[in-house]
Amino acid sequence: MARIAEILNGMRKNPKGVRFRELSQVCEHYFGQARQRRSNHRIYPMPWVGDPRVNIQNDKGMAKAYQVKQVLKAIKRLQNENTAKD
């Protein structure tokens, strides 16, 4: 979990500097295995319908900044929904 927290901090500070492999690790931690898993494209299942969706692409080893922001938004929503259930 400490590694995931480090990656999340890096994602928040610099969405342009996130490696695809690291973003994939974070997505698998929060959302499970990708529903679709091609070499450069992954789609993760969401517990809700609609946005934010988690769909990430490998761009020469790096994640796309707008997709990093979508992942952060989805994690925040997931955490808020889990907090509301408690």
Side-chain angles (χ1 to χ4, degrees), residues 23-86:
L23 185 60
S24 296
Q25 289 174 348
V26 169
C27 289
E28 287 180 16
H29 176 79
Y30 283 97
F31 310 116
Q33 290 293 320
R35 184 176 70 207
Q36 182 175 348
R37 190 175 184 141
R38 291 188 228 154
S39 61
N40 67 343
H41 195 100
R42 295 187 182 167
I43 300 171
Y44 292 90
M46 295 289 99
W48 55 77
V49 176
D51 292 328
R53 296 183 180 111
V54 174
N55 176 351
I56 62 174
Q57 293 172 283
N58 187 345
D59 186 21
K60 300 175 187 168
M62 300 301 286
K64 295 185 176 191
Y66 79 93
Q67 292 172 342
V68 172
K69 292 174 187 176
Q70 288 174 340
V71 169
L72 289 170
K73 188 175 179 180
I75 290 169
K76 186 174 184 174
R77 179 173 174 180
L78 186 66
Q79 290 172 335
N80 288 341
E81 288 183 3
N82 287 341
T83 302
K85 289 180 185 177
D86 294 340

